[in-house]
Each structure stands twice: as structure tokens, then as C-alpha cells.
Amino acid sequence: MAENDDLLPEFLAEAADIIEKIHGDLEKLPGAQDRSELITAIFRNVHTLKGSSSMFNFSRTKSIAHELETNLGKFKESPQTLNDPEIQYIRDEVQKIDELLKAKDQLDLVPGTLNSPGEPSADTRADNKELLPAASKTPQATVNATEEYIRVTVNRVNETMNIVSEVFLIRNQMVYLVDRFKSGNLDQRDFFQTWDMLDGALRRGVGELERSTMSMRMMSVQGLFNRMARSVQSYSAKTNKKILFQTVGENTELDKKILDVLGEPLIHLIRNAMDHGIESPSDRIRSNKPEIGTIILSATISGNEAVVEVKDDGKGIDAKKILASAQKKGLDVSHVTDDQSAIELIFLPGFSTAETVSEVSGRGVGMDAVKTSVTSLSGKVTIHTEVGKGSTFSIRLPVSMSLAPVVLIDIKGLKYAVPTSDILETKQVPFSWVKRNSGFDYVNFRDKYVKCIDLRSIMDAEEKSHEENMRSCSIVFFRTSNETCAARVSSFERNTEIVVKPLSGLSPNIPWVYGVAVLPTGEAIFVLSLAKILEEFEVTNAA
Amino acid sequence: MQPDEILKNQLNYRHTLSQDGKYASELSTYLQITIANSYFVIPISEVGEVSEFLPIRPYPSEVAGHVGVINLRGKVIPVISMEQFGGRKESKPNSRIVILNTDTTASNSEQLALIVDSVKKISAPSAESGNVITLDNNPVRVLSGGLILESWGIKPCSR
């Protein structure tokens, strides 16, 4: 058993791949010319799952796989008997195996999360507990099971190896340089010049190494979205609801750690949308809506955040009903002041009860579990809903925990950060380069005058003792969506890297502040969006 | 006019009297805070911690009710002004910072910071926030994070 425990994480990772392949083949089945080849591939994969499950004593998984294998054998014999209901049957059975294995995965990796959303039914859990007493009891087994896997292409590994060898070469050149200097074969000027050059190359190399390593953790949301699509397909097949499922931004990449946890809250939101959001075809026709309901799952990157949204065109959430329901359940509603705060009651533990449980979305686990999962990733979940029109659940998450390169600037003695990616150039320019006309300042940039905002007059802070260069001005050139602009600051500090955090929900909403960061000195600084400052400044000016 | 009388005039208070005219006997633990010679109490359950004075970073744009942010061990917490309760704009060098946990909406639990002159832990009759209790024969108002935010019309938003 101990040996098998060592292999368990590997099996689970491999099983996830196999299940993904089976689903891929199932997608191709309806339109395929040679169906027997696809059925054979599915048969072979199910057989592998059965064998491995047997090795780990997963008796329930094994028996499902066994029965499926038997039926697949029949389909192999007579492919013409394989129609939509049969394909759906295979899909459902594979889904069951997937859920069982995923529950197994969670049982070992996070022992305290048995009540997470979208968890398999109670008998599934009992099955796993019963089958794996050793795995859940011995500390050794838990340690083994916490091993995580990332699938990385060989190209990405080779790329990283190349950077490592470059960095190593630079280090050797540095050693050689120091040796030559020590032995008197190099004068001081040459030594420092070459040292500076090598130091610059080393910095670039380390930066590339960081990017390359971080990119290994980044995975596209495609696989996750496919899982959600299957869930919708399987639901549509079981009920009379007609649902069109659309995905947007499947290539968006997220940190693997985030992606792993995101699946459960997302499936819960989608099940909710299908079950409670989208109306029955007859109700939709009565409401002058298309008979087919639409659910759009999208992922986009906004600044340092990924926004994953589940949008449906269903009946929306009625704030009054939610409030009444919460009161009936004895929940604290004293803080409810408006519709939005009433709707947010659905996030309270205990809001979801047997009344709202259905076969699809209800397992007695409420939206509070969705909120808990998202919060555990330093993310936030918000709802926008309109009765009769539909609901949008937005999950905002950090893309990764990586550092953002910024330029620190000084405005009236206070430091601010501007993301390097927003900046075209920072420059000390003579005063004569700045011209004023029709209420605007303009500054010369590459032989062309561009609009210039003076951040020193925009910021409310009082002028602190600060020595400004009296002969020239410090200008940051940046690009908005359609033009190049400039911003005058008191001075430049330096380039650095920081972790940008969102402002607290109690802080005022200043549209041109991306977030806040803490410097190594302990100083909290605001990260500015120059393009949005310009937008705001122009609006104020126009007014 | 004595400070106590000023306080009485300032506050539109409701005593928590039981039917027989005596004060409710149930006691709660509070953090008593002093702001410019005025006293208030905050239920201890709302208080996250009390810290020595920390440098406050003002927002780049002035917004009523908001003083700025502090860095508390890597966590950036907004500082809410106590001017509505007699607090001054500028802080004294020996001021303290009180961190309150607010659970103002179902989906958000946020922390806020207040600048106060001094703090003391006390026991006093239980009362809802906004009510007035009697302490050493003086009326003292019970505050909460929610009440302070409400006084400025600050509504938490999701970011």
C-alpha cells in the first residue's frame, strides 16, 4: 500500500489526462467517419482507468469503468448502435469517474474541505473514506499526496536551460574579470566598464529566468472551460431546458494554483445559472425571450487581475425575495440597506437550504462556499443582476503572485509607482521644451509636441520639503489608447519591483489608482494609471 | 460649559434603561477610546488590535471621511477620519491606532483604522451601537465600525 501511495498523485494526474482525452474523442464521435477507431481509443483509455483504479483499490471507480468497458465492447462490435443517448451515457459515466477521482484527490490533499461546493454526493465520499483508510490516517500518505504536478512543454524547459547557461557564462566572465584585475592585468576604468556591462547582462538574465519560471506555472483556462461545457451538455440532456453555452478568452493564462481551486466555485456558479437562472423554454417564450437560454463563461486579464465571469440571460435575482427568504431562515439582515446588499445575502453561510436544493445545483452547499474558495485565492466575487434579464457573477483574481516592475516617482515629496509597462520613456527635459497653449501644457517628444499633465498640481498632498531640479523638469512619457502623452513629476526615484494589491473595499474609489504596494522601507505607496489621470484631467478641464 | 455637558448636548442619546428604571445588569467588555477630550466605547468583539502610531499615507486625492492608509505588517488598511466625533485632522505624536473588524455586508469583511488619543479596556452595561451608556456617572456613546462608516456615508465596495 505504501508503494501505491507513492504512485497515487502520479496516477491522479495521469487519470485527469486520460479523461480529458476521452472527452475529446467523444466530441469527435458524432461527426466521425470511422467511428470504430475512436471507440477503440475510448475503450483502451477506460480500460487503463479500470486497471489503475483496481491497483489503488478504488472499487467504485473500478466497477463503473468495468461496466462502461463492457458496454463499449458492444458498441465496438456494432458502431451503428452508438447514437446521442449512448454518447451521453459514456460521457456521464466518465464524468462520474472524474468526480470520484477528484474527490479522492481532495480527500488526500486538503483533508478539511469535504464540504466544498460541487463536491460529490455523500455516498461517493463514504466510498472513498472506506476505501482508503490508510491514506487518510497515516501522515506519510498525506505528505506523499501533497505532491503537485505541472505539465510543462519540453520547449519551455529548454528555454529555461538556455537562460541558466547564459547566466552561468556571465558569472564565469565575472570571475575571470576579477582575477585579471587582481593580478594587475587590467586598469580600474576597464574593470568597471566591463563589470557594468556584465552586471547589466546578469540582471537581464535573472529577469528572463524569473519570467520563464513563472510562465511554467501559468496554464490556459481552456481545460477548465471544456469541463464546464461538458457539465452544461450533460445538464441539457437531462432536462427540458435548452442552453447555449459560449466561452470567451479560453487562452487566458492563470497561475496553476489559482486554476486548481477555481474549478469548484465555477462549476457551482454554472450549475446555479442552469438550474435557477435560465427559465424553462415555455417561461422564456412567455417572457418574449429566445427559447434557448445563453450562458457565457469568459476570462479576461485586467491589469494585474484576471476576471472570470459567468453571465446568463435568465430570470435574474429578485432582491426582495432574497431578503424575505433570509429573514425566514433567521439570518441577520440588519445591515441590508439596498437591493445590492440584499442580493449579497446569498453569500451568507446557511442561506442555501434544502428548499433550494435540486439534483443539479443543490447539494446543500451555498454560495458562501464559492465566496470562501475565491477569498482563499485573494480574489473577490461580485454579482450584477437584473430581474427578468439575467445575472453576472464576476470572480476577480490575481493573475499570479509575481512582481510587477515599476518606476518610482516623486510628487511633492511623496513617492508613487507607475507600472513600467505603461511608460514609453522617462526624461529630464529643459524648461524651454514645455510650452503652454489654450490652457494645456505641451512638451516636445521626438520632435513633436505632446500633451503634458502636471501631476504636482493634480495631487492634493501638501508640498513637502523636496529639492527639485530647477533647471529642467522630470517628464514621464506614456501612451494612451490613441496618443502619446506626458506627465510632469517632481523627480524620478528609481526602478524597482513590487507586488500590487487592490485597495481595501473601504477605501475611496479613485479611478486612476491601480492599487497599493508596500516598499521594503515599510512605506505604503499608490500605483498610478497615468492614462486614467489624463482622462480625468481632461474631463475636469472640459467641465 | 463642562465637557460632559457639551457631550450631552452633542449626542442624541437613548439610555438603555430597563423597565424598573435601573440600568441593565448584563455587562460587556469595551475598548474605551478618547478623542480630543471626548470618550466613546467600542465593543471589544469589534476590535482587531491596538497599535502604536504608524505613519499614515494620505490618498493622492482628498476624499471626505478618508485620512489615508497605514501599513500594518504588510497589510494596507484604510484610516477613517473621526472628525464627525470630535477628532482632529492632525494626530498627536503619542496617538494610538485602533484596528476595527467590520462585517458591513454579507460579502465583505474589511478592517479599518482609527486614530485615537488613548485607549482603556473597561466593563460596562451591554448596549447596541449608537446607544449611550453611563460610565463613572458620565454618558458615553457606543460606537462601532459600521456606525463610523455610516456617519460619513461610506459604503464598502468590492474590488
Side-chain angles (χ1 to χ4, degrees), chain A residues 323-355:
Chain A
L323 183 62
S325 171
Q327 277 169 329
K328 203 171 140 196
K329 285 163 195 159
L331 298 173
D332 177 18
V333 295
S334 57
H335 60 270
V336 174
T337 48
D338 52 15
D339 281 0
Q340 189 60 31
S341 52
I343 286 162
E344 286 180 0
L345 287 169
I346 65 167
F347 289 120
L348 281 183
F351 181 82
S352 175
T353 66
E355 268 177 69

PDB file of all heavy atoms in Angstrom, chain A residues 323-355:
ATOM      1  N   LEU A 323     -34.275  38.773   0.383  1.00  0.00           N
ATOM      2  CA  LEU A 323     -34.376  39.347   1.730  1.00  0.00           C
ATOM      3  C   LEU A 323     -35.418  38.582   2.559  1.00  0.00           C
ATOM      4  O   LEU A 323     -35.168  38.195   3.707  1.00  0.00           O
ATOM      5  CB  LEU A 323     -34.738  40.835   1.632  1.00  0.00           C
ATOM      6  CG  LEU A 323     -34.814  41.597   2.940  1.00  0.00           C
ATOM      7  CD1 LEU A 323     -33.461  41.602   3.648  1.00  0.00           C
ATOM      8  CD2 LEU A 323     -35.272  43.033   2.727  1.00  0.00           C
ATOM      9  N   ALA A 324     -36.565  38.337   1.930  1.00  0.00           N
ATOM     10  CA  ALA A 324     -37.634  37.628   2.643  1.00  0.00           C
ATOM     11  C   ALA A 324     -37.174  36.229   3.026  1.00  0.00           C
ATOM     12  O   ALA A 324     -37.405  35.766   4.154  1.00  0.00           O
ATOM     13  CB  ALA A 324     -38.870  37.561   1.750  1.00  0.00           C
ATOM     14  N   SER A 325     -36.487  35.583   2.095  1.00  0.00           N
ATOM     15  CA  SER A 325     -36.023  34.223   2.344  1.00  0.00           C
ATOM     16  C   SER A 325     -35.001  34.202   3.489  1.00  0.00           C
ATOM     17  O   SER A 325     -35.029  33.319   4.348  1.00  0.00           O
ATOM     18  CB  SER A 325     -35.412  33.679   1.054  1.00  0.00           C
ATOM     19  OG  SER A 325     -34.778  32.481   1.270  1.00  0.00           O
ATOM     20  N   ALA A 326     -34.101  35.210   3.476  1.00  0.00           N
ATOM     21  CA  ALA A 326     -33.075  35.277   4.529  1.00  0.00           C
ATOM     22  C   ALA A 326     -33.724  35.511   5.892  1.00  0.00           C
ATOM     23  O   ALA A 326     -33.339  34.911   6.895  1.00  0.00           O
ATOM     24  CB  ALA A 326     -32.078  36.390   4.213  1.00  0.00           C
ATOM     25  N   GLN A 327     -34.748  36.375   5.903  1.00  0.00           N
ATOM     26  CA  GLN A 327     -35.446  36.666   7.170  1.00  0.00           C
ATOM     27  C   GLN A 327     -36.138  35.407   7.684  1.00  0.00           C
ATOM     28  O   GLN A 327     -36.086  35.090   8.861  1.00  0.00           O
ATOM     29  CB  GLN A 327     -36.475  37.777   6.951  1.00  0.00           C
ATOM     30  CG  GLN A 327     -35.824  39.152   7.021  1.00  0.00           C
ATOM     31  CD  GLN A 327     -36.749  40.256   6.537  1.00  0.00           C
ATOM     32  OE1 GLN A 327     -37.587  40.033   5.673  1.00  0.00           O
ATOM     33  NE2 GLN A 327     -36.583  41.440   7.090  1.00  0.00           N
ATOM     34  N   LYS A 328     -36.743  34.684   6.746  1.00  0.00           N
ATOM     35  CA  LYS A 328     -37.456  33.462   7.101  1.00  0.00           C
ATOM     36  C   LYS A 328     -36.488  32.445   7.720  1.00  0.00           C
ATOM     37  O   LYS A 328     -36.842  31.697   8.628  1.00  0.00           O
ATOM     38  CB  LYS A 328     -38.074  32.885   5.824  1.00  0.00           C
ATOM     39  CG  LYS A 328     -39.261  31.985   6.087  1.00  0.00           C
ATOM     40  CD  LYS A 328     -39.923  31.642   4.766  1.00  0.00           C
ATOM     41  CE  LYS A 328     -40.367  30.208   4.737  1.00  0.00           C
ATOM     42  NZ  LYS A 328     -40.656  29.739   3.395  1.00  0.00           N
ATOM     43  N   LYS A 329     -35.250  32.461   7.216  1.00  0.00           N
ATOM     44  CA  LYS A 329     -34.263  31.495   7.722  1.00  0.00           C
ATOM     45  C   LYS A 329     -33.578  31.996   8.982  1.00  0.00           C
ATOM     46  O   LYS A 329     -32.653  31.360   9.487  1.00  0.00           O
ATOM     47  CB  LYS A 329     -33.223  31.223   6.629  1.00  0.00           C
ATOM     48  CG  LYS A 329     -33.756  30.344   5.538  1.00  0.00           C
ATOM     49  CD  LYS A 329     -32.895  30.407   4.301  1.00  0.00           C
ATOM     50  CE  LYS A 329     -33.657  29.807   3.128  1.00  0.00           C
ATOM     51  NZ  LYS A 329     -33.142  30.242   1.851  1.00  0.00           N
ATOM     52  N   GLY A 330     -33.996  33.165   9.445  1.00  0.00           N
ATOM     53  CA  GLY A 330     -33.457  33.693  10.697  1.00  0.00           C
ATOM     54  C   GLY A 330     -32.050  34.268  10.567  1.00  0.00           C
ATOM     55  O   GLY A 330     -31.307  34.355  11.542  1.00  0.00           O
ATOM     56  N   LEU A 331     -31.664  34.669   9.340  1.00  0.00           N
ATOM     57  CA  LEU A 331     -30.318  35.236   9.162  1.00  0.00           C
ATOM     58  C   LEU A 331     -30.329  36.725   9.539  1.00  0.00           C
ATOM     59  O   LEU A 331     -31.375  37.375   9.483  1.00  0.00           O
ATOM     60  CB  LEU A 331     -29.873  35.075   7.707  1.00  0.00           C
ATOM     61  CG  LEU A 331     -29.755  33.630   7.212  1.00  0.00           C
ATOM     62  CD1 LEU A 331     -29.469  33.609   5.729  1.00  0.00           C
ATOM     63  CD2 LEU A 331     -28.635  32.903   7.958  1.00  0.00           C
ATOM     64  N   ASP A 332     -29.149  37.226   9.893  1.00  0.00           N
ATOM     65  CA  ASP A 332     -29.036  38.631  10.284  1.00  0.00           C
ATOM     66  C   ASP A 332     -29.112  39.511   9.031  1.00  0.00           C
ATOM     67  O   ASP A 332     -28.256  39.415   8.144  1.00  0.00           O
ATOM     68  CB  ASP A 332     -27.689  38.834  11.007  1.00  0.00           C
ATOM     69  CG  ASP A 332     -27.467  40.294  11.381  1.00  0.00           C
ATOM     70  OD1 ASP A 332     -28.465  41.053  11.387  1.00  0.00           O
ATOM     71  OD2 ASP A 332     -26.318  40.670  11.671  1.00  0.00           O
ATOM     72  N   VAL A 333     -30.148  40.334   8.962  1.00  0.00           N
ATOM     73  CA  VAL A 333     -30.310  41.191   7.776  1.00  0.00           C
ATOM     74  C   VAL A 333     -30.221  42.675   8.163  1.00  0.00           C
ATOM     75  O   VAL A 333     -30.585  43.544   7.384  1.00  0.00           O
ATOM     76  CB  VAL A 333     -31.651  40.909   7.042  1.00  0.00           C
ATOM     77  CG1 VAL A 333     -31.675  39.517   6.463  1.00  0.00           C
ATOM     78  CG2 VAL A 333     -32.833  41.124   7.969  1.00  0.00           C
ATOM     79  N   SER A 334     -29.704  42.922   9.387  1.00  0.00           N
ATOM     80  CA  SER A 334     -29.712  44.296   9.901  1.00  0.00           C
ATOM     81  C   SER A 334     -28.873  45.251   9.044  1.00  0.00           C
ATOM     82  O   SER A 334     -29.123  46.446   9.019  1.00  0.00           O
ATOM     83  CB  SER A 334     -29.210  44.312  11.340  1.00  0.00           C
ATOM     84  OG  SER A 334     -27.923  43.750  11.388  1.00  0.00           O
ATOM     85  N   HIS A 335     -27.875  44.727   8.331  1.00  0.00           N
ATOM     86  CA  HIS A 335     -27.012  45.610   7.542  1.00  0.00           C
ATOM     87  C   HIS A 335     -27.569  45.889   6.150  1.00  0.00           C
ATOM     88  O   HIS A 335     -26.968  46.637   5.380  1.00  0.00           O
ATOM     89  CB  HIS A 335     -25.622  44.976   7.414  1.00  0.00           C
ATOM     90  CG  HIS A 335     -25.668  43.651   6.734  1.00  0.00           C
ATOM     91  ND1 HIS A 335     -25.839  42.471   7.414  1.00  0.00           N
ATOM     92  CD2 HIS A 335     -25.616  43.333   5.433  1.00  0.00           C
ATOM     93  CE1 HIS A 335     -25.865  41.483   6.560  1.00  0.00           C
ATOM     94  NE2 HIS A 335     -25.738  41.976   5.343  1.00  0.00           N
ATOM     95  N   VAL A 336     -28.694  45.268   5.805  1.00  0.00           N
ATOM     96  CA  VAL A 336     -29.221  45.426   4.447  1.00  0.00           C
ATOM     97  C   VAL A 336     -29.852  46.812   4.288  1.00  0.00           C
ATOM     98  O   VAL A 336     -30.777  47.170   5.006  1.00  0.00           O
ATOM     99  CB  VAL A 336     -30.255  44.322   4.132  1.00  0.00           C
ATOM    100  CG1 VAL A 336     -30.913  44.560   2.788  1.00  0.00           C
ATOM    101  CG2 VAL A 336     -29.583  42.966   4.144  1.00  0.00           C
ATOM    102  N   THR A 337     -29.281  47.589   3.378  1.00  0.00           N
ATOM    103  CA  THR A 337     -29.780  48.947   3.181  1.00  0.00           C
ATOM    104  C   THR A 337     -30.336  49.143   1.770  1.00  0.00           C
ATOM    105  O   THR A 337     -31.118  50.044   1.524  1.00  0.00           O
ATOM    106  CB  THR A 337     -28.666  49.982   3.405  1.00  0.00           C
ATOM    107  OG1 THR A 337     -27.524  49.545   2.659  1.00  0.00           O
ATOM    108  CG2 THR A 337     -28.316  50.117   4.875  1.00  0.00           C
ATOM    109  N   ASP A 338     -29.868  48.328   0.829  1.00  0.00           N
ATOM    110  CA  ASP A 338     -30.348  48.487  -0.543  1.00  0.00           C
ATOM    111  C   ASP A 338     -30.429  47.118  -1.225  1.00  0.00           C
ATOM    112  O   ASP A 338     -30.125  46.093  -0.617  1.00  0.00           O
ATOM    113  CB  ASP A 338     -29.418  49.428  -1.329  1.00  0.00           C
ATOM    114  CG  ASP A 338     -27.965  48.999  -1.217  1.00  0.00           C
ATOM    115  OD1 ASP A 338     -27.710  47.856  -0.797  1.00  0.00           O
ATOM    116  OD2 ASP A 338     -27.085  49.812  -1.544  1.00  0.00           O
ATOM    117  N   ASP A 339     -30.844  47.140  -2.492  1.00  0.00           N
ATOM    118  CA  ASP A 339     -31.021  45.879  -3.228  1.00  0.00           C
ATOM    119  C   ASP A 339     -29.731  45.075  -3.304  1.00  0.00           C
ATOM    120  O   ASP A 339     -29.724  43.866  -3.148  1.00  0.00           O
ATOM    121  CB  ASP A 339     -31.511  46.175  -4.660  1.00  0.00           C
ATOM    122  CG  ASP A 339     -33.004  46.467  -4.669  1.00  0.00           C
ATOM    123  OD1 ASP A 339     -33.601  46.437  -3.572  1.00  0.00           O
ATOM    124  OD2 ASP A 339     -33.551  46.733  -5.755  1.00  0.00           O
ATOM    125  N   GLN A 340     -28.605  45.804  -3.571  1.00  0.00           N
ATOM    126  CA  GLN A 340     -27.340  45.093  -3.737  1.00  0.00           C
ATOM    127  C   GLN A 340     -26.962  44.337  -2.468  1.00  0.00           C
ATOM    128  O   GLN A 340     -26.572  43.167  -2.515  1.00  0.00           O
ATOM    129  CB  GLN A 340     -26.233  46.102  -4.128  1.00  0.00           C
ATOM    130  CG  GLN A 340     -24.912  45.469  -4.553  1.00  0.00           C
ATOM    131  CD  GLN A 340     -25.025  44.545  -5.774  1.00  0.00           C
ATOM    132  OE1 GLN A 340     -25.850  44.741  -6.656  1.00  0.00           O
ATOM    133  NE2 GLN A 340     -24.203  43.507  -5.810  1.00  0.00           N
ATOM    134  N   SER A 341     -27.104  45.014  -1.306  1.00  0.00           N
ATOM    135  CA  SER A 341     -26.724  44.324  -0.066  1.00  0.00           C
ATOM    136  C   SER A 341     -27.691  43.184   0.237  1.00  0.00           C
ATOM    137  O   SER A 341     -27.316  42.196   0.866  1.00  0.00           O
ATOM    138  CB  SER A 341     -26.608  45.309   1.101  1.00  0.00           C
ATOM    139  OG  SER A 341     -27.762  46.081   1.217  1.00  0.00           O
ATOM    140  N   ALA A 342     -28.945  43.294  -0.233  1.00  0.00           N
ATOM    141  CA  ALA A 342     -29.899  42.195  -0.039  1.00  0.00           C
ATOM    142  C   ALA A 342     -29.487  41.001  -0.893  1.00  0.00           C
ATOM    143  O   ALA A 342     -29.489  39.858  -0.424  1.00  0.00           O
ATOM    144  CB  ALA A 342     -31.299  42.658  -0.420  1.00  0.00           C
ATOM    145  N   ILE A 343     -29.086  41.279  -2.152  1.00  0.00           N
ATOM    146  CA  ILE A 343     -28.686  40.181  -3.042  1.00  0.00           C
ATOM    147  C   ILE A 343     -27.450  39.474  -2.498  1.00  0.00           C
ATOM    148  O   ILE A 343     -27.320  38.261  -2.569  1.00  0.00           O
ATOM    149  CB  ILE A 343     -28.455  40.714  -4.474  1.00  0.00           C
ATOM    150  CG1 ILE A 343     -29.814  41.008  -5.103  1.00  0.00           C
ATOM    151  CG2 ILE A 343     -27.697  39.726  -5.339  1.00  0.00           C
ATOM    152  CD1 ILE A 343     -29.792  41.900  -6.285  1.00  0.00           C
ATOM    153  N   GLU A 344     -26.559  40.262  -1.898  1.00  0.00           N
ATOM    154  CA  GLU A 344     -25.329  39.666  -1.373  1.00  0.00           C
ATOM    155  C   GLU A 344     -25.575  38.752  -0.170  1.00  0.00           C
ATOM    156  O   GLU A 344     -24.660  38.066   0.280  1.00  0.00           O
ATOM    157  CB  GLU A 344     -24.314  40.761  -1.063  1.00  0.00           C
ATOM    158  CG  GLU A 344     -23.734  41.319  -2.356  1.00  0.00           C
ATOM    159  CD  GLU A 344     -22.708  42.405  -2.171  1.00  0.00           C
ATOM    160  OE1 GLU A 344     -22.437  42.743  -1.015  1.00  0.00           O
ATOM    161  OE2 GLU A 344     -22.202  42.898  -3.190  1.00  0.00           O
ATOM    162  N   LEU A 345     -26.819  38.739   0.313  1.00  0.00           N
ATOM    163  CA  LEU A 345     -27.163  37.803   1.399  1.00  0.00           C
ATOM    164  C   LEU A 345     -26.972  36.353   0.965  1.00  0.00           C
ATOM    165  O   LEU A 345     -26.786  35.474   1.804  1.00  0.00           O
ATOM    166  CB  LEU A 345     -28.623  38.008   1.830  1.00  0.00           C
ATOM    167  CG  LEU A 345     -28.936  39.267   2.631  1.00  0.00           C
ATOM    168  CD1 LEU A 345     -30.439  39.453   2.742  1.00  0.00           C
ATOM    169  CD2 LEU A 345     -28.330  39.192   4.018  1.00  0.00           C
ATOM    170  N   ILE A 346     -27.005  36.108  -0.336  1.00  0.00           N
ATOM    171  CA  ILE A 346     -26.854  34.724  -0.798  1.00  0.00           C
ATOM    172  C   ILE A 346     -25.477  34.167  -0.463  1.00  0.00           C
ATOM    173  O   ILE A 346     -25.268  32.976  -0.489  1.00  0.00           O
ATOM    174  CB  ILE A 346     -27.144  34.537  -2.312  1.00  0.00           C
ATOM    175  CG1 ILE A 346     -26.118  35.287  -3.168  1.00  0.00           C
ATOM    176  CG2 ILE A 346     -28.547  34.955  -2.667  1.00  0.00           C
ATOM    177  CD1 ILE A 346     -26.171  34.876  -4.626  1.00  0.00           C
ATOM    178  N   PHE A 347     -24.538  35.080  -0.139  1.00  0.00           N
ATOM    179  CA  PHE A 347     -23.197  34.623   0.225  1.00  0.00           C
ATOM    180  C   PHE A 347     -23.098  34.219   1.697  1.00  0.00           C
ATOM    181  O   PHE A 347     -22.058  33.769   2.153  1.00  0.00           O
ATOM    182  CB  PHE A 347     -22.156  35.718  -0.051  1.00  0.00           C
ATOM    183  CG  PHE A 347     -21.907  35.940  -1.513  1.00  0.00           C
ATOM    184  CD1 PHE A 347     -22.147  37.167  -2.101  1.00  0.00           C
ATOM    185  CD2 PHE A 347     -21.425  34.919  -2.311  1.00  0.00           C
ATOM    186  CE1 PHE A 347     -21.919  37.384  -3.444  1.00  0.00           C
ATOM    187  CE2 PHE A 347     -21.195  35.113  -3.651  1.00  0.00           C
ATOM    188  CZ  PHE A 347     -21.439  36.343  -4.226  1.00  0.00           C
ATOM    189  N   LEU A 348     -24.178  34.447   2.442  1.00  0.00           N
ATOM    190  CA  LEU A 348     -24.128  34.115   3.875  1.00  0.00           C
ATOM    191  C   LEU A 348     -24.191  32.608   4.084  1.00  0.00           C
ATOM    192  O   LEU A 348     -24.962  31.923   3.415  1.00  0.00           O
ATOM    193  CB  LEU A 348     -25.303  34.765   4.608  1.00  0.00           C
ATOM    194  CG  LEU A 348     -25.203  36.236   4.961  1.00  0.00           C
ATOM    195  CD1 LEU A 348     -26.427  36.656   5.751  1.00  0.00           C
ATOM    196  CD2 LEU A 348     -23.963  36.524   5.803  1.00  0.00           C
ATOM    197  N   PRO A 349     -23.395  32.108   5.039  1.00  0.00           N
ATOM    198  CA  PRO A 349     -23.495  30.681   5.334  1.00  0.00           C
ATOM    199  C   PRO A 349     -24.922  30.387   5.808  1.00  0.00           C
ATOM    200  O   PRO A 349     -25.497  31.157   6.562  1.00  0.00           O
ATOM    201  CB  PRO A 349     -22.493  30.478   6.473  1.00  0.00           C
ATOM    202  CG  PRO A 349     -21.657  31.693   6.509  1.00  0.00           C
ATOM    203  CD  PRO A 349     -22.433  32.800   5.885  1.00  0.00           C
ATOM    204  N   GLY A 350     -25.477  29.316   5.330  1.00  0.00           N
ATOM    205  CA  GLY A 350     -26.817  28.950   5.793  1.00  0.00           C
ATOM    206  C   GLY A 350     -27.924  29.516   4.934  1.00  0.00           C
ATOM    207  O   GLY A 350     -29.087  29.241   5.168  1.00  0.00           O
ATOM    208  N   PHE A 351     -27.579  30.311   3.927  1.00  0.00           N
ATOM    209  CA  PHE A 351     -28.647  30.838   3.077  1.00  0.00           C
ATOM    210  C   PHE A 351     -29.228  29.723   2.204  1.00  0.00           C
ATOM    211  O   PHE A 351     -30.433  29.606   2.047  1.00  0.00           O
ATOM    212  CB  PHE A 351     -28.161  31.991   2.197  1.00  0.00           C
ATOM    213  CG  PHE A 351     -29.265  32.552   1.349  1.00  0.00           C
ATOM    214  CD1 PHE A 351     -30.146  33.473   1.875  1.00  0.00           C
ATOM    215  CD2 PHE A 351     -29.474  32.104   0.049  1.00  0.00           C
ATOM    216  CE1 PHE A 351     -31.198  33.954   1.121  1.00  0.00           C
ATOM    217  CE2 PHE A 351     -30.526  32.580  -0.708  1.00  0.00           C
ATOM    218  CZ  PHE A 351     -31.389  33.510  -0.170  1.00  0.00           C
ATOM    219  N   SER A 352     -28.320  28.918   1.631  1.00  0.00           N
ATOM    220  CA  SER A 352     -28.775  27.823   0.786  1.00  0.00           C
ATOM    221  C   SER A 352     -29.255  26.681   1.672  1.00  0.00           C
ATOM    222  O   SER A 352     -28.488  26.154   2.468  1.00  0.00           O
ATOM    223  CB  SER A 352     -27.633  27.344  -0.095  1.00  0.00           C
ATOM    224  OG  SER A 352     -28.022  26.222  -0.820  1.00  0.00           O
ATOM    225  N   THR A 353     -30.520  26.335   1.569  1.00  0.00           N
ATOM    226  CA  THR A 353     -31.044  25.251   2.399  1.00  0.00           C
ATOM    227  C   THR A 353     -31.729  24.241   1.504  1.00  0.00           C
ATOM    228  O   THR A 353     -31.715  24.372   0.282  1.00  0.00           O
ATOM    229  CB  THR A 353     -32.087  25.780   3.404  1.00  0.00           C
ATOM    230  OG1 THR A 353     -33.198  26.221   2.644  1.00  0.00           O
ATOM    231  CG2 THR A 353     -31.556  26.885   4.254  1.00  0.00           C
ATOM    232  N   ALA A 354     -32.334  23.255   2.136  1.00  0.00           N
ATOM    233  CA  ALA A 354     -32.985  22.188   1.376  1.00  0.00           C
ATOM    234  C   ALA A 354     -34.010  22.741   0.386  1.00  0.00           C
ATOM    235  O   ALA A 354     -34.249  22.160  -0.651  1.00  0.00           O
ATOM    236  CB  ALA A 354     -33.657  21.228   2.326  1.00  0.00           C
ATOM    237  N   GLU A 355     -34.593  23.896   0.716  1.00  0.00           N
ATOM    238  CA  GLU A 355     -35.605  24.469  -0.177  1.00  0.00           C
ATOM    239  C   GLU A 355     -35.083  24.732  -1.576  1.00  0.00           C
ATOM    240  O   GLU A 355     -35.794  24.596  -2.539  1.00  0.00           O
ATOM    241  CB  GLU A 355     -36.059  25.824   0.378  1.00  0.00           C
ATOM    242  CG  GLU A 355     -37.250  25.738   1.279  1.00  0.00           C
ATOM    243  CD  GLU A 355     -37.551  27.098   1.814  1.00  0.00           C
ATOM    244  OE1 GLU A 355     -37.986  27.938   1.013  1.00  0.00           O
ATOM    245  OE2 GLU A 355     -37.330  27.328   3.008  1.00  0.00           O
TER     246      GLU A 355
END
